[in-house]
Amino acid sequence: MFVREVGVHFSVSTWNWAALLKEGLSYQSMLDEIKKSGFGIEFWLATMSKADIQVYEEQYKGSFAHVSCHTSLANTYKDEILKSEIALCKRLGASLMVVHPCSIGFDAHTWDAHYAKGFDSKKFEQIEHYIELAERHQVLLALENGPIEVLEQVMNYVESKHLGSYMGICIDTGHASMHMNEDAEYLFNLLRRFLSNLVQLHIHDNFGNADDHLVPGEGVIDWTKVLDIIGQGQEDVPFVFELKGQRNPLQSAFSAKRFIENHA
């Protein structure tokens, strides 16, 4: 039984509003909605302009209980952009930034189940530099799944170098669930393997083969089992809702929150 009720942080990703922003919704209107809702916020940096950053700093900084960022490098690797975004987190008051395997130099994506390449010492020296930069800015990097082999390589290296205070794991439930047809236990095994390294969750559902980003309960994920496993771990892991194609992102987030609370 999922027993952790007190201390759960629910946040929404600004990615949920991407379509509406593209259609003309102002960034400020989105921030007003999220602020009034009481949710924490995760900035999808790909949709945040310099003007948006200035508005946030001047009018909204300090308004959200929990603030995190997601790198704009969702499907590519660019050294200078990654460094600048780590530094930006401090300006935004974000304590954590999510990165993908490819964001830090791996030839692997969040929808990949496996990774066959061995240890690359030069790659890990570079990753260590990113972690050291994150430490200077007091930002925790959260590596999102991704192939389990990549996560294992990174966390084994991090632990061997005693860098765990500034690098952890973000489990994306939907991305892991995409491999259910090959391995019905993939998501659950991923959660168990990295429970001690877990620093954030991306919460969404699907039908086991595509990245649908549905509200929890609308797909095939066994949420009772997911929450049972999570409940055995740390008590303050943020739940960030990433929900796609919603005409009312806030209403969908509240539906997701109620679903999780009702299954607690």
Side-chain angles (χ1 to χ4, degrees), residues 79-238:
D79 175 72
E80 290 304 317
I81 291 178
L82 183 58
K83 290 176 181 176
S84 68
E85 290 183 345
I86 292 172
L88 176 59
C89 286
K90 187 172 184 179
R91 284 181 60 190
L92 298 176
S95 58
L96 178 151
M97 186 172 83
V98 177
V99 295
H100 288 188
C102 62
S103 311
I104 56 174
F106 284 93
D107 184 21
H109 295 277
T110 54
W111 56 81
D112 293 331
H114 298 291
Y115 181 80
K117 295 183 180 180
F119 182 84
D120 182 334
S121 60
K122 290 185 177 180
K123 186 191 306 294
F124 278 89
E125 287 174 7
Q126 187 64 47
I127 291 171
E128 186 170 350
H129 291 319
Y130 295 137
I131 297 172
E132 290 170 348
L133 179 62
E135 180 177 7
R136 290 199 294 273
H137 290 286
Q138 293 297 291
V139 176
L140 174 62
L141 297 180
L143 177 61
E144 182 177 327
N145 56 293
I148 190 169
E149 294 87 356
V150 170
L151 273 60
E152 286 180 333
Q153 283 189 24
V154 171
M155 293 316 302
N156 287 341
Y157 184 84
V158 164
E159 289 166 5
S160 72
K161 295 285 187 173
H162 307 290
L163 300 169
S165 296
Y166 292 95
M167 172 65 88
I169 296 295
C170 171
I171 297 295
D172 185 299
T173 57
H175 292 166
S177 175
M178 289 169 63
H179 308 299
M180 284 182 61
N181 291 335
E182 299 175 20
D183 180 357
E185 293 293 309
Y186 188 91
L187 168 59
F188 312 124
N189 290 335
L190 195 68
L191 284 166
R192 292 188 189 99
R193 169 63 181 84
F194 297 104
L195 191 61
S196 64
N197 307 116
L198 192 63
V199 294
Q200 182 162 283
L201 292 150
H202 281 170
I203 300 293
H204 53 103
D205 211 334
N206 58 42
F207 292 106
N209 50 31
D211 197 17
D212 302 306
H213 283 264
L214 302 175
V215 171
E218 294 183 356
V220 297
I221 292 177
D222 183 343
W223 288 99
T224 298
K225 194 168 183 178
V226 167
L227 295 170
D228 282 348
I229 297 169
I230 294 169
Q232 300 168 24
Q234 302 179 51
E235 296 185 357
D236 57 353
V237 176

Side-chain angles (χ1 to χ4, degrees), residues 224-263:
T224 298
K225 194 168 183 178
V226 167
L227 295 170
D228 282 348
I229 297 169
I230 294 169
Q232 300 168 24
Q234 302 179 51
E235 296 185 357
D236 57 353
V237 176
F239 286 49
V240 179
F241 296 123
E242 278 194 348
L243 308 171
K244 181 169 66 175
Q246 309 296 330
R247 299 310 302 171
N248 190 329
L250 205 56
Q251 181 179 336
S252 297
F254 277 118
S255 296
K257 181 174 181 285
R258 284 193 297 271
F259 179 89
I260 296 297
E261 291 174 335
N262 289 339
H263 282 72

Side-chain angles (χ1 to χ4, degrees), residues 30-46:
M30 177 194 68
L31 291 175
D32 284 334
E33 283 187 35
I34 299 172
K35 179 181 176 181
K36 291 175 184 176
S37 74
F39 282 111
I41 190 168
E42 178 158 291
F43 290 108
W44 182 261
L45 295 180

